[in-house]
Amino acid sequence: MFTVTNLIGIAAGGFVILAFYARDERVLRQYAITSNVLFMIYALLVWLWPIFLLHAILLPLNLIRLAQIDPRGALGRDAARTP
């Protein structure tokens, strides 16, 4: 039987899989952040403190890395090198 809690856990795992399939770093980080938030909610609902702490640590790291991505992307970097 699927409960809301189980569905949140399944969705969190699904976003981990999507992050591994992402080719664009921005998309990868967005999926990872979504996964972190969903896993934190799931962990609080079922009292899994190690899982909560893991994702509480990973969330700011993913947010920082997302903020560090050049908004111009690969084309912008190539264009910057072109004389």
Side-chain angles (χ1 to χ4, degrees), residues 4-80:
V4 172
T5 302
N6 287 338
L7 291 175
I8 292 170
I10 291 167
F15 275 99
V16 170
I17 293 169
L18 287 174
F20 277 97
Y21 275 101
R23 292 181 182 220
D24 181 74
E25 187 179 0
R26 181 176 302 280
V27 173
L28 181 152
R29 295 295 175 182
Q30 290 168 342
Y31 287 156
I33 289 166
T34 303
S35 172
N36 293 147
V37 171
L38 288 172
F39 266 121
M40 288 171 66
I41 293 168
Y42 175 74
L44 287 174
L45 291 172
V46 295
W47 295 93
L48 294 173
W49 291 105
I51 300 300
F52 178 83
L53 290 173
L54 170 66
H55 290 281
I57 292 167
L58 291 174
L59 179 60
L61 293 174
N62 280 314
L63 289 169
I64 290 167
R65 293 292 186 233
L66 179 61
Q68 291 174 340
I69 296 172
D70 184 357
R72 296 176 294 173
L75 293 176
R77 288 191 295 275
D78 291 342

